[in-house]
Amino acid sequence: MIRTPPALNLRGLRLNVWVGFFVSLAMLLAVIVLGVTQMARLNAELEQVVAVNNVKSRLAARMRDTLRDRAIVMHDIVVSIDPWEKDALFLRFLAYAERYAKDRAQLARLITNAEEKRLLDELDAITRINQPIMFSVVDAAMDQDNYGALTQLQQEAIPMQNRLVEALDRMTTLQREANEAALKKTVASYQSTRQLMLALGVLATLLAITVAWLVSRRTLHQARALEAEKLKYQTLFETNSDAVVILGDEGFTDCNPATLSLFGMDSVARFLKTPIPELGAPVQPGGKSAYEHAITTIQHAREHGHAHMDWIGRRQDGSQFHAEIELHAMQLDGQPRIQAIMRDVSERRAAEAAQEAARQAELGAARAKANFVANVSHEIRTPMHGILGLCELLLKTPLAPAQREYLGTLKHSAESLLVIINDILDFSKIDAGKLTLERVPFAPAALVTEVAALYRARCLAKGIALEVDLPADSPPALLGDPTRLRQILLNLVDNAIKFTARGRVTLAARFAARGDEIACRFDVSDTGIGIPAAARAHLFEAFTQADSSTTRRYGGTGLGLALSRQLAERMGGSLDVISTPGVGSCFTLRLRLSQTTLPAAAPADEPPAARLTGRLLVVEDHPVNQTVLAFQLDALGLTYTLATSGAEALARFAADRFDLVLMDWQLPEMDGLAVIQSIREREGDRGHTPILVVTANAAPGFRETCLAAGADDYLSKPYSETALAARLAHWLAPAPGDIPAPAPQAVVPSGWDIAALTARYGNDPALVGKLADTFLATTAASLDALDAALRAGDTRQCRKEAHALRGAAASVLAHSVASLAGELEGCLDDPACARAGDLLAALAAELARLQRLRIDGEAMPHVA
């Protein structure tokens, strides 16, 4: 089927042949150039050496001749008796001396090696000695002292003259030796050059032979590879499951069997004659015609080398299919071609459509789930607000002790239910990826102390100790989300107390610097029932507890630990547990937070006035919430007009003026946000009216939604009366001249603020009485432990017991006991502990006094 196999790689063969030829030729040329260059260099060196040495030899010989001639002239001057002849001879003597000096200067310029310089220095030294002697001889002869001159000539001048001649002879010998050395060097260089030329010639011959062998071998290999490539290409082309088409400028040039199968044709010739528009649907993806879509994509492939095309194909029977086509530009037999690979993706597209439909269905289910959780939360929060509000109102009325206890239990149960609802909402937020974390400064030591303080009374009532272990060098401030950190610690401490019947619960914190961050570790340990190993594997899974009896005995949904771990991980930390059944558990929270500084404390807000002034429009459709609001607003001295729907609220707002609108969100006919927007549109010249939204919708971002719609403030249900009063006091003025009447104060024994304790716990005397009895009972055991530790000299245990006693006393506002326990704890820092015994006795006396007051019933709550 394939008609155009891959061509033989002639270009590569030609390249190899030419490379071999040029390398061989280059080596031969290198041999010739090297030989000629080397010989020329040797000749030049030899000529230079010989020329220079000949000049130096000639100069040395002439200097030697000059010395001899000068010696003869000097002898003639000595033996001559004619004064005129002596003068003529003296001038010749001076001429020889001048010629000698010139030849010596020229010779000095040509000398280069050390031996010649040494001989020249020796010659100069002899000349300096000989010069005065010669002139002395000549001077004596010129003065007619021929005998004395002849004697000095023979004894001094002639020997020195001979030494000079000998030095010049040695100089000549050196030049002759240098010429011989240069000749030997030239001969050696010639021999090495000849050998190198022979070696390069042999190498060039071998290279030419090797190139010829490689070319022939490569040709044979290329021929065999051509057959193998042709077979492979044809096999791939024929057996490819994807349709492969080759296009040229004139149209289709080839196709494989998969192409015929894809388009339902029976022959290649038929396919090659089929126009492109007949192979596709008239309208292709993007709205283009089949021809325009194909031509545009093919042109793009020619320009850029590659292109992709979605194609709706049409078979011979008229059926259609979805295909993806990859186009690649290529050269085939030296001609530009386009290779198109087509794949039927109809099944994949159908699967993707089904998957997308399933994804949309899943998203719809997730949205429905989120809406369901939000609606359930709203529907639960609304009656919960009514229950908690009515409980607060009832607790302010005269009640029998049993009624107050039942009501307190009802309020506590409602608050516990609210905690469960909040956990479910937070878990849903994390599940939906909508939980946001803050990064604000907070004091970690204060946060840990606050968490412990919230559970002091509960631990006292249960008869277990709550200990706090904080390092003295705790960082003053960290940057993070204190609300979520507090939520995790509250959850862990609550669980520890829940599952501990006796012993203690310890909340400890440790901080270590790690570069620019602080590694924080919070441990919550207990001496409770512990967790079996099998249960620990599923402990942090949602809706899971250790076993089914846990829920029946201790309560809870199993969400708390799962939520806490997810919060820890969202904050970049971890939450783990170590536990031994029957011994206790230790939950460890690890976080890495940045150290920072706390901002300057803002002035504290003034507490809201006991009574406020103003007229309110209350938009609330739930009867219970209407009742709660009626009592709460009456207690604050406010007058209001009630509207039970959005339309009624708009009508009443248009008919009258109000100082504030208290707006619910979920209303019949139109929601609160639409009502707010309508109020803002209708205000006109009457001025801005504050709107406070009170709603059970606690979804993240809903507060911002309310403010964006035109509200001024936001309060989520259920809320306390104090919270409502604080928000109203922000927008309304206090009643003029209204001074809150002082609340009746109970007769308080010295050191125990029972009135404040009663107010703290919802004016529930039964609960306060139970706390007092528990405190007095557990304190007796603390005194015994203090006394035993003090007698044993165990200051560490004594300090620990004093610290625990101080915390317990502070939690029930037993100020005198807390003060004495704190003083005892500080005293133990002194190794002598001189006052420890006295302070322990004072503590025992004070507790005995409080015990007597409790027995006598003086100013103490009565326990029904």
Side-chain angles (χ1 to χ4, degrees), residues 498-521:
K498 182 191 298 183
F499 295 107
T500 303
R502 60 180 178 274
R504 68 178 59 82
V505 173
T506 303
L507 173 57
R510 292 292 181 268
F511 307 96
R514 295 287 187 272
D516 296 334
E517 294 181 324
I518 301 295
C520 308
R521 172 174 172 161

Side-chain angles (χ1 to χ4, degrees), residues 584-659:
S585 306
C586 178
F587 287 83
T588 299
L589 170 65
R590 290 182 175 88
L591 297 173
R592 293 178 76 92
L593 303 174
S594 301
Q595 193 166 6
T596 185
T597 56
L598 290 173
D605 292 337
E606 291 295 327
R611 298 178 69 81
L612 302 171
T613 182
R615 189 153 181 260
L616 278 62
L617 173 60
V618 177
V619 187
E620 173 63 65
D621 66 322
H622 199 284
V624 176
N625 290 340
Q626 292 173 2
T627 303
V628 173
L629 272 173
F631 282 105
Q632 292 173 338
L633 296 179
D634 287 340
L636 293 171
L638 294 169
T639 60
Y640 64 91
T641 298
L642 180 65
T644 59
S645 68
E648 184 180 357
L650 292 176
R652 293 188 180 279
F653 184 81
D656 208 343
R657 287 182 176 271
F658 299 95
D659 298 301

